[in-house]
Amino acid sequence: MRFIDVRRIGLLLAIAIPSLAVATAAAWLLETYAGVPDASVVYLVAVVATAVAAGTVGAIATAVASFLVYNFFFTQPLHTFAIDDPGDWLSVILLLFVGIVVGQLAALQRARAELAMARERESRALFGVSRELALRDSTPAVLPTIARILRDETAMERVWISLGSDDASERGAADSEQGGSPPPVPARYQVLRRAPDEASARWLRVHQPTPRASAQNGHDAYRVRVVTGDAAVGSIWALRRRER
């Protein structure tokens, strides 16, 4: 089941509505006082601004909204969505088409920038973990530092590491909380798994049938199993606030 991202919708509205309002005011000034016959192009600024902030969905939504707003306020007959002049039809259709294309290009550039930043964070985290392992006096001594690196780089609230060859034998070995002891295994969590015939791993939700302590209220729990060869070594656990 996919959930609606309320924060992204809020961001879309926070950017799109003011941008459309400013574009509408600019178009009115240009057509009324500057003698510009067709100022619909100013709406592309609103489309690009929303695309950069809210992605492809925001770009398409703003392009459609620009089409409707310009049609409503600037084409004859005014304050309706009807269009009498074929030339106006061409203008608003071009506005919609160009707005969608430009918005998608801006959203694609934004997505590429986000991917580059994510890869940079991943590389930084891997370097930090590798450096700590290379300089360690002993593996157990460095595990708390690794837990803190993972917590900070993945924006989790808490990360802990447990060691053991199976679920029954796993015991907490390190916690990102200074001086803290790893919490009990959550009753519900998501585990990262990769089937032999799958190219990438995916998150699967697990619900323990036996009574266990649940994750803290308002948090989601995640688990990544640590395996070397065919042998299980332990797990990395994490908690993140549900709204994040």
Side-chain angles (χ1 to χ4, degrees):
M1 180 179 180
R2 301 187 64 180
F3 296 94
I4 297 175
D5 191 335
V6 177
R7 290 187 303 161
R8 185 170 290 275
I9 293 177
L11 179 62
L12 190 160
L13 295 176
I15 299 297
I17 293 176
S19 298
L20 288 171
V22 171
T24 301
W28 179 77
L29 290 173
L30 288 172
E31 294 194 4
T32 303
Y33 296 102
V36 176
D38 183 355
S40 61
V41 69
V42 298
Y43 284 94
L44 295 180
V45 178
V47 174
V48 172
T50 309
V52 171
T56 301
V57 174
I60 295 175
T62 307
V64 173
S66 299
F67 164 82
L68 295 175
V69 170
Y70 187 80
N71 182 11
F72 188 80
F73 287 108
F74 297 101
T75 61
Q76 295 293 335
L78 297 177
H79 306 143
T80 70
F81 293 109
I83 300 177
D84 291 340
D85 189 346
D88 289 339
W89 266 113
L90 178 62
S91 295
V92 294
I93 293 299
L94 283 177
L95 170 63
L96 178 61
F97 174 76
V98 175
I100 291 176
V101 172
V102 171
Q104 286 186 313
L105 290 175
L108 178 61
Q109 186 62 33
R110 171 182 178 270
R112 287 176 175 173
E114 288 182 343
L115 178 59
M117 292 176 62
R119 287 177 174 172
E120 178 186 356
R121 289 195 302 269
E122 180 181 350
S123 298
R124 185 171 60 243
L126 290 174
F127 173 78
V129 170
S130 299
R131 180 178 182 276
E132 294 297 332
L133 288 172
L135 300 177
R136 72 189 186 278
D137 294 326
S138 67
T139 299
V142 80
L143 290 182
T145 302
I146 292 176
R148 287 191 290 272
I149 291 174
L150 295 176
R151 177 199 62 192
D152 296 340
E153 295 297 338
T154 58
M156 294 290 179
E157 292 293 318
R158 188 175 186 177
V159 171
W160 68 96
I161 300 172
S162 59
L163 300 178
S165 58
D166 53 44
D167 289 359
S169 63
E170 272 196 14
R171 295 294 181 269
D175 193 347
S176 61
E177 298 292 329
Q178 191 71 29
S181 58
V185 174
R188 294 182 298 275
Y189 59 86
Q190 295 189 64
V191 62
L192 191 64
R193 288 182 179 173
R194 178 186 285 112
D197 58 341
E198 291 182 340
S200 60
R202 57 196 178 101
W203 291 102
L204 298 177
R205 190 177 298 276
V206 175
H207 186 192
Q208 297 288 349
T210 56
R212 292 179 180 237
S214 299
Q216 300 176 25
N217 290 335
H219 289 73
D220 288 325
Y222 300 87
R223 181 186 191 183
V224 178
R225 296 179 184 273
V226 181
V227 179
T228 173
D230 294 329
V233 176
S235 299
I236 299 173
W237 294 85
L239 288 179
R240 171 177 281 172
R241 291 190 182 277
R242 190 161 292 125
E243 63 269 18
R244 300 185 64 182

